[in-house]
Amino acid sequence: MGSERLEMRKRQMQMHQEAAASVLQSQHRMGNMPTNASNACCFCWCCCCSCSCLTVMTEDERIQRSTYERRAEGIANCDDSPKPTLEDVTIWTMSFERLMKSPAGRGCFRQFLRTEFSEENMMFWLACEELKKETNKTVVEEKVRQIYEDFISILSPKEVSLDSRVRDVINKNMLEPTSHTFEDAQQQIYTLMQRDSYPRYMNSTAYAELLQGLEEPPPATEP
């Protein structure tokens, strides 16, 4: 199984490198070669921006990245999410949308995803939500690059599962990063969680124990 996964990774890398070369050739023929294309990383295959693996970041970029990573760590700490009420937990059964709109719901669901080793799906979705709120072009470009490195790159341990069509869309969007660069990818991961992880969570021991704990009356205090 390990050798098969390694072989699949190699094929993915080859496909992505070929896609990057194709985009660069197309840009060159059109006379619209990005000024930073020479810094493109063959492993990132996006050929859109100066990849951190080949370029030296300026002091400002280091500060921006450090700030982003600290914020990402805050997002990653789902144990600090609000405690749900019985009403909250009951409403989550109605739809995945209800669960995702609830901060407590996202926190509890994310803890469940962690046990299934798929927490990166929620982390990616949350990072995209944060990205869509950003309006500063420089910050947007930095966040887009960081999200790509954290969740899209085939070299990342937190890579999310996306089909080739969506990866092609990302490849094109990365040429001109915006706050909606990962919109298609975010929707695909949302659908994956809705169809796959959400039903399992609703039928899990974790959810049953949470519901039971909220339904039980608090112990009577002695007079």
Side-chain angles (χ1 to χ4, degrees), residues 29-30 78 139 147 154 158 182-183 203:
R29 287 196 300 269
M30 296 173 62
C78 57
V139 177
I147 290 173
I154 62 174
K158 297 181 291 186
F182 302 107
E183 202 163 72
N203 292 292

Side-chain angles (χ1 to χ4, degrees), residues 22-204:
S22 176
V23 171
L24 283 172
Q25 291 173 2
S26 175
Q27 292 290 325
H28 182 73
R29 287 196 300 269
M30 296 173 62
N32 189 30
M33 177 71 75
T35 57
N36 54 5
S38 61
N39 291 327
C41 172
C42 61
F43 294 111
C44 291
W45 65 269
C46 61
C47 61
C48 60
C49 55
S50 302
C51 297
S52 60
C53 56
L54 290 183
T55 58
V56 179
M57 290 187 293
T58 65
E59 187 63 27
D60 288 343
E61 288 173 330
R62 289 194 184 94
I63 293 173
Q64 286 180 351
R65 180 159 184 163
S66 176
T67 301
Y68 177 88
E69 289 172 347
R70 285 197 299 270
R71 291 186 64 185
E73 289 173 359
I75 295 174
N77 189 6
C78 57
D79 297 327
D80 292 338
S81 59
K83 299 300 181 184
T85 64
L86 178 59
E87 182 181 6
D88 290 333
V89 176
T90 303
I91 288 176
W92 299 346
T93 62
M94 296 181 180
S95 70
F96 183 59
E97 182 180 7
R98 291 288 188 96
L99 182 145
M100 291 293 282
K101 284 184 176 180
S102 164
R106 292 193 298 269
C108 292
F109 182 53
R110 185 168 168 184
Q111 288 180 7
F112 172 74
L113 292 178
R114 184 182 295 170
T115 67
E116 292 202 329
F117 304 100
S118 59
E119 184 185 9
E120 66 274 5
N121 289 335
M122 179 65 80
M123 294 174 68
F124 171 67
W125 187 88
L126 290 171
C128 290
E129 288 295 288
E130 287 294 310
L131 174 63
K132 287 190 288 190
K133 297 175 185 177
E134 188 56 63
T135 57
N136 183 288
K137 188 175 185 296
T138 302
V139 177
V140 165
E141 290 178 351
E142 173 60 24
K143 284 189 174 183
V144 165
R145 182 168 57 207
Q146 189 64 49
I147 290 173
Y148 177 86
E149 292 177 359
D150 286 346
F151 303 109
I152 309 300
S153 170
I154 62 174
L155 300 180
S156 173
K158 297 181 291 186
E159 177 196 4
V160 294
S161 179
L162 299 169
D163 62 32
S164 59
R165 181 194 68 81
V166 171
R167 284 188 174 274
D168 286 343
V169 171
I170 293 174
N171 188 25
K172 294 174 183 177
N173 290 346
M174 292 287 281
L175 295 173
E176 296 183 8
T178 71
S179 58
H180 297 280
T181 292
F182 302 107
E183 202 163 72
D184 285 11
Q186 184 187 22
Q187 182 58 49
Q188 187 167 99
I189 293 302
Y190 182 94
T191 301
L192 176 66
M193 292 191 292
Q194 181 181 31
R195 294 179 178 176
D196 187 31
S197 304
Y198 171 65
R200 286 203 301 274
Y201 177 54
M202 289 293 98
N203 292 292
S204 69

